[in-house]
Amino acid sequence: MKEIISKIYYVGVNDRNKTLFEGLWPLPNGVSYNAYLIDDEKVCLIDTVEVDFFMPFLENIREVIGDRPIDYVVVNHMEPDHSGSLALLRQFYPDIQIIGNKKTFDMMAGFYHLTTGLHAVSGSPADTLSLGAHQLQFVLTPMVHWPETMMTLATVPSVAGSQQQTVLFSGDAFGCFGALNGAYVDEQMNCDEFWLEMTRYYSNIVGKYGTPVQMALKKLAGVKVDYICSTHGPVWHQYVEKVIGIYDRLSKYEAEPGLVICYGTMYGNTERAAEVIARAAAQAGLKNIVMYNVSKTHHSYIIRDLFRYRGLIVGAPTYNTGLYHEMNVLLDELSQKDIKGRLFGWFGSFSWASKAVGEITKWNEERLHYEQVGTPVEIKQALTDETIAKCEALGQAMAKRLLSL
């Protein structure tokens, strides 16, 4: 297996078959489940993999250490895609000590009925573990994005005059969707496909927890991190500063002056209105504009782009005397993400019962609490010269507001 640096090895696996991560998020390029092995006087495994991949995972471990025992396994995160192999691992390595915090062990008893051979850590600076040349320190990072999450810092000894380096085993933090295609470390691969997938991963899975992410970043602020070993996606070395910067920006809900327009449509009228709005915004000078049919594009991509761009305009028809179903679902998802500081405009259509605009208004007043921009547009049956002018005014108002930031 690949040695990342100084007796630290990648022993993870790729999942190219799963179509939905956690049954929710599309995986067009698969996903990796990353685990790492430190081969020192004491052998330490950092996280495991989903249980379906246990045998290739075990082969990866044995490729590094052969028949030697594993002394410790650190559990940074208890989600089953990372902890799922623990019970089987204990069968193959009965003396292995499991390292985690109190909340880790509470969950472990429930998930896997493992209650013995546990080594609890508190996250205090003095709470360290020596493996020999490598020293481990544990940083508790609750709610990034589960209550028990933590990170592990490994001090890598200097070799042949080189400086001492630090590896951060970060759990799900700094991870992204996408399987690894041969290489493990960023500098050995083309990372272009991972940047938007990192944003989609963060916005849909971690995104609600911006404040805990900021607290975690502050705990790490004084540490010069040379490698970030996440549980999904590449090992970061060349781009350490970039990925930390991405998480810092996303967790502050900062965004570019761009516009997401998403709409539901049954017979094409709200879609035509969305095109008018987009054209008006572009003619007003706004360059970053993305458009989505809410019934065609998976919502995770829309949510991703709302973390990227500050403006949002939504539109949908009235349906069953309420709001078009997929728009209702999207607005509910957005309300749960607690995204702050967004600018919001909306429009709707109806045939005989006007409900869509009122329902979207209610969503914003009661749940979203975004800054309203422009006047909502209501379209009866089809666009007219009057409603086209109102759609243009809405697009222009949003562009003007975004460009003023």
Side-chain angles (χ1 to χ4, degrees):
M1 294 307 295
K2 175 67 177 177
E3 184 179 19
I4 298 168
I5 180 175
S6 186
K7 298 293 186 177
I8 298 177
Y9 295 86
Y10 180 91
V11 291
V13 298
N14 286 301
D15 186 347
R16 304 181 192 277
N17 300 313
K18 185 171 291 174
T19 56
L20 293 175
F21 188 75
E22 298 179 343
L24 292 168
W25 321 116
L27 293 173
N29 301 312
V31 68
S32 66
Y33 307 123
N34 299 342
Y36 306 91
L37 192 70
I38 304 176
D39 183 11
D40 205 328
E41 293 174 19
K42 298 288 187 180
V43 176
C44 183
L45 182 64
I46 310 290
D47 293 306
T48 73
V49 302
E50 192 171 89
V51 67
D52 292 347
F53 294 86
F54 179 76
M55 290 313 297
F57 172 55
L58 184 62
E59 291 174 6
N60 291 345
I61 292 171
R62 286 178 169 172
E63 187 177 328
V64 178
I65 61 171
D67 293 330
R68 291 173 58 202
I70 300 175
D71 297 285
Y72 303 105
V73 55
V74 175
V75 181
N76 286 317
H77 186 21
M78 271 298 298
E79 275 194 288
D81 55 332
H82 308 302
S83 68
S85 292
L86 281 172
L88 280 174
L89 191 71
R90 178 59 73 73
Q91 292 184 34
F92 282 81
Y93 300 97
D95 297 325
I96 195 170
Q97 293 286 303
I98 303 175
I99 299 174
N101 57 71
K102 182 181 182 302
K103 290 180 180 178
T104 307
F105 297 147
D106 290 344
M107 291 186 179
M108 196 176 297
F111 274 113
Y112 311 119
H113 311 298
L114 295 173
T115 57
T116 60
L118 310 180
H119 179 92
V121 297
S122 65
S124 72
D127 198 358
T128 60
L129 179 67
S130 175
L131 304 178
H134 297 77
Q135 308 298 315
L136 302 186
Q137 182 179 345
F138 308 97
V139 182
L140 302 192
T141 57
M143 297 316 302
V144 184
H145 52 115
W146 275 26
E148 87 307 347
T149 53
M150 69 182 199
M151 301 182 189
T152 301
L153 286 163
T155 301
V156 178
S158 58
V159 178
S162 64
Q163 291 185 338
Q164 177 178 286
Q165 293 188 294
T166 299
V167 176
L168 175 66
F169 298 99
S170 61
D172 272 352
F174 311 114
C176 55
F177 297 128
L180 300 177
N181 301 320
Y184 310 120
V185 183
D186 58 2
E187 61 196 356
Q188 299 166 353
M189 66 178 77
N190 185 333
C191 292
D192 290 351
E193 70 178 74
F194 290 109
W195 300 122
L196 282 179
E197 286 295 73
M198 174 178 282
T199 300
R200 187 165 70 96
Y201 181 91
Y202 177 92
S203 58
N204 287 277
I205 295 176
V206 187
K208 181 181 177 68
Y209 304 106
T211 298
V213 170
Q214 280 292 306
M215 293 175 66
L217 291 175
K218 288 177 182 176
K219 287 184 178 182
L220 298 169
V223 180
K224 182 186 179 300
V225 176
D226 297 288
Y227 288 82
I228 297 177
C229 296
S230 174
T231 47
H232 297 293
V235 172
W236 302 112
H237 177 49
Q238 179 180 357
Y239 294 114
V240 164
E241 290 186 9
K242 179 173 181 174
V243 298
I244 292 175
I246 289 172
Y247 260 62
D248 185 39
R249 175 176 55 81
L250 292 174
S251 60
K252 292 176 180 175
Y253 304 99
E254 295 175 352
E256 301 174 52
L259 173 59
V260 180
I261 300 174
C262 55
Y263 61 88
T265 192
M266 295 169 64
Y267 304 112
N269 291 304
T270 49
E271 183 173 55
R272 285 188 281 275
E275 295 284 1
V276 173
I277 292 167
R279 187 165 59 248
Q283 290 172 347
L286 189 64
K287 294 182 178 180
N288 293 326
I289 302 173
V290 292
M291 295 184 65
Y292 295 111
N293 183 328
V294 75
S295 296
K296 181 180 179 181
T297 300
H298 193 273
H299 295 178
S300 65
Y301 294 93
I302 300 171
I303 293 169
R304 175 200 69 187
D305 282 349
L306 192 56
F307 270 79
R308 296 172 64 205
Y309 298 133
R310 192 164 178 185
L312 172 66
I313 294 178
V314 304
T318 298
Y319 190 76
N320 280 344
T321 66
L323 183 61
Y324 186 74
H325 174 265
E326 286 301 314
M327 184 57 69
N328 238 337
V329 173
L330 175 65
L331 295 177
D332 182 58
E333 289 174 344
L334 291 179
S335 72
Q336 294 178 42
K337 298 299 179 187
D338 196 28
I339 307 170
K340 298 174 176 62
R342 295 306 183 259
L343 309 176
F344 191 43
W346 60 97
F347 62 101
S349 62
F350 68 99
S351 294
W352 69 89
S354 172
K355 287 290 185 178
V357 167
E359 289 297 307
I360 298 172
T361 302
K362 186 177 178 181
W363 269 108
N364 195 43
E365 290 175 349
E366 296 182 1
R367 300 278 296 278
L368 297 174
H369 308 297
Y370 296 154
E371 177 186 330
Q372 179 179 338
V373 174
T375 302
V377 182
E378 190 168 54
I379 302 161
K380 183 176 181 180
Q381 292 153 3
L383 284 167
T384 64
D385 289 345
E386 180 182 358
T387 51
I388 287 173
K390 290 180 178 179
C391 287
E392 290 174 338
L394 178 57
Q396 292 165 358
M398 181 61 78
K400 181 179 179 181
R401 181 72 179 90
L402 288 168
L403 293 171
S404 72
L405 298 174

